[in-house]
Amino acid sequence: MNKLVTKLCLVIAVLAVCYFGFYKYQQSKIKFQPVGFSVEVNSKDLIAGGTKWLESYVEQYKGRYVPWSQKVAEYSIDQIENREANVIQVDFSVVTKNLDTANASKWNGVLEENKLKCQWVLWFKVEPSEEGTYTYTATKVQRPAGYDLEKYQTSGEKERDEYKQKYEAEIPYDKQQYTYKIENHICYVSYNGGITWEEVPVSIESLAAVGDGRPYFNKLQEKSYVITSEKTAFVYGGTKEVPLTATYSEDKGATWKTSQISKTLDSVRVKFCSFPNAKVGYVIATGDRAMSQESQIIYKTTDGGATWKEVGSGPRTSLLQSAGFIGENLGFMSYPKIDGAETNLYRTEDGGKSFAPIIIPAVKESWMGTTLEPFIQPETPYFEEGQLFLLVGQGPQGDYMGGTVSAKYKSDDQGKTWYFVELMELPSKELG
């Protein structure tokens, strides 16, 4: 009797294992992932094919070997539309035996109104057969947001938007006494902190023109203009279409005059304008860039900007970073720091005919256990209450204390020698 029971138990166990194996085998034939699922359709119409594909895909979940909790009791298509060639979006609802977040996740949908609401963007590979039918195979499934993001990133629209944001979108003006703004593609200047504005009689296309690089239509190059109560000047051009030009005013924008500085320069990268007084002014323009080298030409006016004369060139051929004249003959030019070079700041006291190197004492700082010399990029010196100062920044890659701190120096001999005064946190500009 015991032997019979044992044999019966063994037979039942074997049958159970066989059934379990058969059950799992039948389950393995069900494609629970839409990608790779195929269906044969008699129509080439994408909507018809997509409808049939979804019907066949969902039908699997009604089968005998589907786990009870995942079985589909009913489904319906709410909306279906073409998105592009061989791509459709289908909004549909599914009711499973067990309506829970786990099933919602498996269907890439949401649980709503006792249904699983799904939105699928289906990419199909459509292959015709000799019998005249078409095989639809899903190659990708996305949510609409994912599809839209992918199209945005790959269609060129993202690059166009980024370009507009960087080069065209209006930027708030600096809220200070002498300032400018670009609004509705027109440049305006203000002498009272933005209370009233005077239009600059130059098109934004001309003001933005550059011979080397991309033009900004929402801001002017730093130091390419001067705005004071005695002299306002905007320097622009230096391209094949627009010669290097100055438009200036001596009555706070009530009247304007324009003069041509040079008609030969046609590849100007940057230009720096300075008027030490109402009559004497300088423009330093760079051009003919090749890799990290370029030429610099210095122009001078002694009649307030009516006529210009070439008077000198830069002391180096590195890419010019900053330049300007703070006296009738006293000026400075700054270049990127190069390892092994004596300096990257040069001074002229004869109106740009000759330059002398200026040595700036290094400021050493300790940061995270390391001794650094973070201040490497001199700006153009400036007068403050009759005293001469110089800011030395960290360059475009500087990150000491967030990269916003500069070293402030002072000179008592018109910029021949300098000594460190203090570290200076550059103030954030108040925008209007």
Side-chain angles (χ1 to χ4, degrees), residues 55 82 99 140 142 149 157 168 225 230 305 348 355 397:
E55 179 184 318
N82 284 312
L99 284 170
K140 185 191 294 187
Q142 297 173 289
L149 178 60
E157 185 178 355
E168 297 180 358
Y225 56 90
E230 296 80 20
T348 179
F355 284 84
Q397 305 302 320

Side-chain angles (χ1 to χ4, degrees), residues 15-27:
L15 289 174
V17 169
C18 290
Y19 178 78
F20 181 76
F22 177 77
Y23 185 85
K24 286 297 183 181
Y25 169 72
Q26 293 297 327
Q27 276 193 336

Side-chain angles (χ1 to χ4, degrees), residues 150-340:
E150 179 178 311
K151 297 304 292 183
Y152 176 70
Q153 292 175 333
T154 58
S155 66
E157 185 178 355
K158 178 182 179 183
E159 288 77 8
R160 290 191 293 272
D161 284 349
E162 289 176 344
Y163 176 87
K164 289 181 179 179
Q165 183 64 32
K166 184 175 182 179
Y167 296 99
E168 297 180 358
E170 290 185 0
I171 298 173
Y173 64 88
D174 294 339
K175 199 169 184 181
Q176 55 193 25
Q177 181 178 0
Y178 302 116
T179 188
Y180 80 93
K181 69 176 180 179
I182 297 174
E183 188 175 271
N184 297 323
H185 297 282
I186 299 174
C187 183
Y188 299 90
V189 63
S190 176
Y191 303 90
N192 52 22
I195 298 174
T196 60
W197 297 91
E198 300 293 336
E199 182 177 339
V200 179
V202 183
S203 71
I204 191 61
E205 288 76 18
S206 295
L207 286 173
V210 290
D212 183 352
R214 276 188 168 181
Y216 284 84
F217 296 97
N218 53 5
K219 64 179 180 179
L220 303 179
Q221 181 220 305
E222 284 288 332
K223 299 180 182 177
S224 67
Y225 56 90
V226 172
I227 305 174
T228 68
S229 58
E230 296 80 20
K231 174 70 72 173
T232 301
F234 293 87
V235 175
Y236 54 94
T239 71
K240 289 181 172 64
E241 295 78 17
V242 183
L244 188 62
T245 306
T247 292
Y248 59 96
S249 173
E250 296 175 343
D251 52 12
K252 295 185 178 181
T255 61
W256 296 86
K257 298 177 182 178
T258 296
S259 62
Q260 184 173 284
I261 301 171
S262 170
K263 62 180 180 181
T264 58
L265 290 180
D266 61 7
S267 60
V268 170
R269 182 181 67 88
V270 293
K271 51 267 183 187
F272 297 94
C273 174
S274 50
F275 273 86
N277 57 54
K279 292 298 181 182
V280 176
Y282 289 87
V283 169
I284 303 171
T286 74
D288 300 324
R289 178 171 66 147
M291 302 298 287
S292 58
Q293 304 293 310
E294 66 184 358
S295 61
Q296 301 115 30
I297 301 177
I298 304 171
Y299 299 92
K300 182 178 182 180
T301 180
T302 56
D303 53 14
T307 60
W308 297 84
K309 181 181 179 180
E310 182 178 334
V311 295
S313 58
R316 272 171 48 175
T317 57
S318 304
L319 299 182
L320 187 62
Q321 300 298 300
S322 183
F325 281 78
I326 58 175
E328 286 197 8
N329 294 296
L330 180 60
F332 297 84
M333 296 180 72
S334 170
Y335 298 87
K337 178 179 173 59
I338 298 177
D339 290 338

Side-chain angles (χ1 to χ4, degrees), residues 15 31 43 70 97 205 224 247 284-285 304 345 381 400 413 426:
L15 289 174
K31 289 188 177 293
S43 174
Q70 298 180 36
K97 294 291 186 181
E205 288 76 18
S224 67
T247 292
I284 303 171
L345 180 65
Y400 173 68
D413 55 8
L426 296 181

